[in-house]
Amino acid sequence: MKKYFSILYRSAAENFLAGLKPENRHAKKAAKIFLLQTALMSSRTRVTIRDIAREAGVSTATVSRVMNNPDTVSRRTLETVNAVIARHGYLSDGIAVSLALARTLTIGVVIPTITNSIYAASTQAIQGAARAAGYTVLLGVSEFSPTTEDQLIRQLLKRRVDGLILTGVERSSEIYESIGAARIPFVVTWKQADAAAGMASVSFDNYQGARLAMSHLVELGHRRIGLVCGRSKLNDRARERRRAYQDVMREIGTDVRHDWVHEADFDHAEGRRAMQKLLAAPSRPTAVFCANDIQAIGALFECQEQGIEVPGQISIVGFDDVPAAQYVRPQLTTIRVPAQAMGEIAAKRLLEAIDRRGEPVGQTLPVELVVRGTTRQAQD
Amino acid sequence: MKKYFSILYRSAAENFLAGLKPENRHAKKAAKIFLLQTALMSSRTRVTIRDIAREAGVSTATVSRVMNNPDTVSRRTLETVNAVIARHGYLSDGIAVSLALARTLTIGVVIPTITNSIYAASTQAIQGAARAAGYTVLLGVSEFSPTTEDQLIRQLLKRRVDGLILTGVERSSEIYESIGAARIPFVVTWKQADAAAGMASVSFDNYQGARLAMSHLVELGHRRIGLVCGRSKLNDRARERRRAYQDVMREIGTDVRHDWVHEADFDHAEGRRAMQKLLAAPSRPTAVFCANDIQAIGALFECQEQGIEVPGQISIVGFDDVPAAQYVRPQLTTIRVPAQAMGEIAAKRLLEAIDRRGEPVGQTLPVELVVRGTTRQAQD
DNA sequence: TTCAAAAAAGGAACCGGTTACATTTGATCG
DNA sequence: CGATCAAATGTAACCGGTTCCTTTTTTGAA
């Protein structure tokens, strides 16, 4: 069947060629191109709007109207065209539409990792909100590398996403310039942006959250408190949390010993290692604030491995409230972060901004201390 | 500055209009359009290949060559053009490129959920492999709904992804037709495809994995074994695992009581509920096979809540080996699934297929029983 | 029945790139 | 020094839609 058509088309073109006056160079060229096209036609099944138009006996403009402004088309035409569309299962080509409209109905999302379920939760929420509005998500995972993140964002801009949702505010100014040049709105999540910087964030307050965790320990009578957190050089969320730790320690008048503070990557092994060092410190802390649950769980494991009772001998507070925080025994005391709400709201704010071609409006969401089983009154 | 240009352009256009003979309608129209364009130009900063070409004093073809085939361009021209490109930070428009080349450098990935870390792991692996090859991932999350999945796939096809990675094989034949019509390769993950169906899968064997889990229990002397699994109506992975359960039960000559089998959604709460029912069964099983770790962990929690010792009074085997399986106490005995390798290989196979415009080649990966703390010799 | 106004449909420019083919430039050689 | 051929560049068609503007058809009132 397909072959048959191919032959049909080809011979039509050849006839056309043969019938030409030799001097008619331009037409000859056109015919050649026609031949090329029809040769391709046999391999490409893709139905275009012109095919539909031809078969329905209308112009492409009308087909387009049928699909996008049906009420500007007469009932009769509407039916005819829709029938042809249905017969072929025709779907308009999103790429061509994007080019013509200068809108891709796509938003870009860049996160550091997806395997930490807390990011998965916010990403899933973004996804849901985007889909509801007819948008698709282009996902980039930076694996905590600023260079990778830059590349990803550039790639997304090249794909002309209509908007961006980023994690944290810290990145090269060139990238911010590129985003600016693309003239698309973006919102930052997981970290509040300085209002001054003129960017919108939908986030919670990392600093206050961390203070909440620290205050809890302090109220339980802990004074010698250790810290495990992410790489504050690469990660502005970790930096905020660390700052809160340091402030609270200063306020309670405890000198922070440098072997009480450990920065580590986001996995359990690293959390364990950090806890090892804390336990080996000459003046062992009575409590540890782990600036994320992944590390907190690793730390908890290390204690259990070494036979150190949690919370009997050492208290642990995490941050994030990942689902796993409830599975470990004892269950982890932690700071609950509104990951899902944040994702959903961020997406909504972004889509609004895209709609009205304005700046997205930011928002700060509350965090909450969830007291479970890994913290107890200091015995010391 | 921008304004200045705008005025410049505008007056040029107006001069052009003014100089026209009134009868030259066509040219007049063209001039109008020119005006429109330049009006837009002031608001749109987007630099196009024509801007670069004009400024460098070459044709757009040459600019395109500079970017894609630099060795076909003379050294001098190359330098000139590259300088202009750099000056403007020009990035070619991916949408236009896609339209011209009929390739989007994009692959679509559809998964049921991202919050189950096992899917996150494979997705992240796909992401990594795609990025390494210059591809971007368009992610769709179906939330276990076949309708949503259909919509997502259709959306991806509309965006003209160059290939698809899907979860499981079971979906409407219309969707498979649509994919076929789009003439793009796809690979199925998480479930082996029938070779006969002519589709490639990069997966492990759910059935054998489930048998492995069941055999482990049987070898420990368990005969009264319960099952908790996903909705086998909606989920072909769950169905395979259930089939293995039933086959093994038949082989050991135990009649499966219907209150030993519970299908549930993929969350802990549902796992707990299922376990509640199992524990309440008149003839309580001595072991439970949970066809995924999320449910297994929920089940374990329920036991602990009710003061039923695991594995003392009841053994539990999970499936997937999510990271959380190691956090719970006792640690979960489970089947380790090669999520990361699967994602990576699936992406590679797909990209190969895209490259050579052929069918992807499938592959089956091994699963492994990981014996931890939730299983023990039957006491019965 | 006639004619103006409204509704429907069509023609073609346009989005921003790529590339086949044509043309120009430059180098080489008899 | 002109012919020849390769290298470099330009021209314009093309990808598959949308939409402005124009033309044609229909409607409805006079």
Side-chain angles (χ1 to χ4, degrees):
Chain A
M1 183 63 170
K2 212 180 301 160
K3 212 166 187 175
Y4 175 68
F5 269 120
S6 155
I7 289 166
L8 236 171
Y9 279 121
R10 192 178 285 276
S11 66
E14 279 163 357
N15 291 344
F16 182 37
L17 241 183
L20 287 174
K21 310 248 160 66
E23 60 270 29
N24 189 340
R25 281 218 329 225
H26 196 74
K28 200 160 174 183
K29 182 173 166 185
K32 259 192 207 162
I33 287 166
F34 182 55
L35 247 179
L36 180 70
Q37 297 247 131
T38 54
L40 281 174
M41 191 170 294
S42 64
S43 73
R44 124 174 99 83
T45 316
R46 193 144 208 129
V47 178
T48 74
I49 198 174
R50 290 175 231 266
D51 300 327
I52 302 294
R54 190 181 330 117
E55 189 163 330
V58 299
S59 70
T60 61
T62 298
V63 178
S64 177
R65 284 187 201 104
V66 166
M67 300 174 58
N68 306 313
N69 299 85
D71 36 310
T72 66
V73 173
S74 77
R75 179 155 296 296
R76 260 175 50 83
T77 315
L78 196 67
E79 279 165 10
T80 318
V81 174
N82 270 332
V84 178
I85 288 178
R87 175 148 14 105
H88 289 289
Y90 168 69
L91 265 186
S92 68
D93 182 326
I95 296 294
V97 173
S98 293
L99 184 60
L101 296 185
R103 292 173 67 229
T104 55
L105 288 179
T106 291
I107 65 176
V109 176
V110 181
I111 54 176
T113 179
I114 206 171
T115 49
N116 182 338
S117 48
I118 200 73
Y119 285 110
S122 69
T123 305
Q124 183 140 339
I126 292 173
Q127 246 271 334
R131 215 177 69 76
Y135 279 73
T136 312
V137 169
L138 266 172
L139 183 68
V141 179
S142 70
E143 285 166 343
F144 292 98
S145 150
T147 346
T148 306
E149 203 204 27
D150 274 19
Q151 289 171 11
L152 285 169
I153 294 177
R154 244 179 264 282
Q155 219 172 70
L156 293 173
L157 291 178
K158 239 187 115 123
R159 315 250 158 177
R160 293 189 71 166
V161 291
D162 293 334
L164 278 173
I165 295 181
L166 304 175
T167 304
V169 303
E170 200 164 276
R171 48 188 60 82
S172 71
S173 63
E174 293 90 59
I175 272 295
Y176 276 122
E177 278 162 27
S178 300
I179 299 175
R183 301 185 156 273
I184 58 166
F186 67 97
V187 341
V188 164
T189 53
W190 294 101
K191 166 90 168 67
Q192 293 177 291
D194 319 339
M199 56 178 93
S201 62
V202 172
S203 175
F204 53 90
D205 188 331
N206 284 278
Y207 179 81
Q208 288 304 334
R211 284 198 72 108
L212 211 54
M214 288 296 292
S215 303
H216 173 58
L217 292 176
V218 170
E219 276 164 22
L220 289 174
H222 294 281
R223 290 298 175 269
R224 303 208 312 274
I225 306 175
L227 172 73
V228 180
C229 69
R231 311 273 175 204
S232 62
K233 254 125 234 164
L234 297 178
N235 180 324
D236 50 17
R237 283 86 68 205
R239 191 155 58 248
E240 286 278 282
R241 298 177 195 179
R242 180 173 177 160
R243 189 162 63 82
Y245 165 80
Q246 285 166 327
D247 286 356
V248 170
M249 290 301 271
R250 186 163 5 86
E251 287 161 19
I252 61 175
T254 308
D255 280 347
V256 176
R257 294 156 165 269
H258 82 268
D259 57 5
W260 282 357
V261 173
H262 293 281
E263 297 200 349
D265 290 337
F266 281 93
D267 60 58
H268 314 280
E270 286 282 311
R272 291 183 80 141
R273 191 146 6 164
M275 186 51 113
Q276 265 168 33
K277 291 192 194 138
L278 282 171
L279 293 176
S283 165
R284 180 193 284 181
T286 62
V288 178
F289 169 39
C290 293
N292 65 80
D293 282 358
I294 304 286
Q295 292 172 340
I297 290 169
L300 174 61
F301 269 44
E302 182 60 28
C303 291
Q304 293 176 335
E305 197 96 342
Q306 295 197 20
I308 293 177
E309 268 179 46
V310 177
Q313 296 174 263
I314 199 162
S315 286
I316 297 179
V317 192
F319 200 112
D320 284 347
D321 196 21
V322 300
Q326 299 176 55
Y327 315 154
V328 294
R329 286 293 130 99
Q331 295 183 322
L332 186 66
T333 295
T334 189
I335 301 294
R336 177 174 301 152
V337 144
Q340 201 201 303
M342 187 172 66
E344 191 176 325
I345 295 174
K348 281 189 181 155
R349 295 281 176 274
L350 181 68
L351 294 170
E352 279 166 21
I354 293 172
D355 248 24
R356 52 172 174 62
R357 311 175 155 283
E359 296 289 309
V361 310
Q363 185 166 341
T364 297
L365 305 167
V367 294
E368 188 186 346
L369 172 70
V370 182
V371 180
R372 295 205 185 92
T374 54
T375 46
R376 180 181 296 178
Q377 200 74 34
Q379 302 300 315
D380 224 31
Chain B
M1 181 65 171
K2 212 181 299 158
K3 211 165 189 178
Y4 177 68
F5 269 118
S6 156
I7 290 167
L8 237 172
Y9 279 121
R10 191 178 282 277
S11 67
E14 280 164 356
N15 290 344
F16 182 39
L17 242 181
L20 286 175
K21 309 250 161 64
E23 61 270 27
N24 190 340
R25 280 220 327 229
H26 197 72
K28 203 161 172 181
K29 182 173 168 188
K32 260 192 210 162
I33 286 163
F34 181 53
L35 249 179
L36 181 69
Q37 297 248 130
T38 55
L40 281 176
M41 191 171 294
S42 65
S43 73
R44 123 175 99 82
T45 316
R46 194 143 208 132
V47 178
T48 74
I49 199 174
R50 290 176 230 264
D51 299 326
I52 302 293
R54 188 180 334 116
E55 190 164 328
V58 299
S59 70
T60 61
T62 300
V63 177
S64 178
R65 285 186 199 108
V66 166
M67 299 173 58
N68 307 314
N69 299 83
D71 36 309
T72 65
V73 174
S74 78
R75 180 155 295 299
R76 258 175 50 82
T77 315
L78 196 68
E79 280 165 10
T80 318
V81 175
N82 270 331
V84 178
I85 289 178
R87 174 147 15 105
H88 290 290
Y90 169 69
L91 266 184
S92 68
D93 182 328
I95 296 294
V97 173
S98 293
L99 183 61
L101 297 184
R103 292 172 66 228
T104 56
L105 289 178
T106 292
I107 65 176
V109 177
V110 181
I111 54 177
T113 178
I114 207 174
T115 48
N116 182 339
S117 49
I118 200 72
Y119 285 111
S122 70
T123 305
Q124 182 140 340
I126 292 173
Q127 246 272 334
R131 215 177 69 75
Y135 279 73
T136 310
V137 168
L138 266 174
L139 182 68
V141 179
S142 71
E143 285 166 341
F144 292 99
S145 151
T147 344
T148 306
E149 202 203 25
D150 274 19
Q151 290 172 10
L152 284 170
I153 295 177
R154 243 179 263 281
Q155 215 171 73
L156 294 172
L157 292 177
K158 236 186 118 119
R159 314 248 159 175
R160 296 190 70 165
V161 292
D162 293 333
L164 277 174
I165 297 181
L166 303 175
T167 304
V169 303
E170 199 164 277
R171 49 187 59 83
S172 72
S173 64
E174 293 91 58
I175 272 295
Y176 277 121
E177 277 162 27
S178 298
I179 298 176
R183 302 185 155 274
I184 58 167
F186 67 98
V187 342
V188 164
T189 53
W190 295 100
K191 168 87 169 68
Q192 292 177 293
D194 319 340
M199 58 179 92
S201 62
V202 173
S203 177
F204 55 89
D205 189 329
N206 284 278
Y207 179 82
Q208 288 304 334
R211 284 198 71 108
L212 212 53
M214 288 295 292
S215 304
H216 172 58
L217 293 175
V218 169
E219 277 164 21
L220 288 174
H222 294 281
R223 290 297 174 271
R224 303 210 309 275
I225 305 177
L227 172 73
V228 180
C229 69
R231 311 271 173 207
S232 62
K233 254 125 233 164
L234 298 178
N235 180 323
D236 50 16
R237 286 84 70 205
R239 190 155 58 249
E240 285 278 281
R241 298 176 194 179
R242 179 173 180 159
R243 189 163 61 84
Y245 165 81
Q246 285 164 328
D247 286 358
V248 170
M249 291 300 271
R250 186 164 3 85
E251 288 162 20
I252 62 175
T254 309
D255 279 347
V256 175
R257 293 155 165 271
H258 82 268
D259 57 5
W260 283 356
V261 173
H262 293 281
E263 298 198 350
D265 289 337
F266 281 93
D267 61 55
H268 315 280
E270 286 283 311
R272 291 183 81 142
R273 189 145 7 163
M275 184 52 110
Q276 267 168 30
K277 291 192 194 138
L278 282 171
L279 293 176
S283 164
R284 179 193 284 181
T286 64
V288 179
F289 168 40
C290 292
N292 64 81
D293 282 359
I294 302 286
Q295 291 171 340
I297 290 170
L300 173 61
F301 268 42
E302 182 61 27
C303 291
Q304 293 176 337
E305 197 95 341
Q306 294 197 20
I308 292 175
E309 267 179 50
V310 177
Q313 296 173 264
I314 198 162
S315 286
I316 297 180
V317 192
F319 200 112
D320 283 347
D321 196 22
V322 299
Q326 299 177 54
Y327 314 155
V328 294
R329 286 295 130 101
Q331 294 183 321
L332 187 67
T333 295
T334 188
I335 302 294
R336 177 173 302 153
V337 144
Q340 202 202 301
M342 188 173 66
E344 191 177 325
I345 295 173
K348 281 189 180 153
R349 296 278 176 275
L350 181 68
L351 293 170
E352 280 166 21
I354 292 173
D355 247 25
R356 52 172 175 60
R357 310 174 155 285
E359 295 290 310
V361 311
Q363 184 167 339
T364 296
L365 303 167
V367 293
E368 189 187 344
L369 172 70
V370 182
V371 180
R372 295 205 184 93
T374 53
T375 47
R376 182 182 295 178
Q377 200 75 31
Q379 302 300 314
D380 228 30

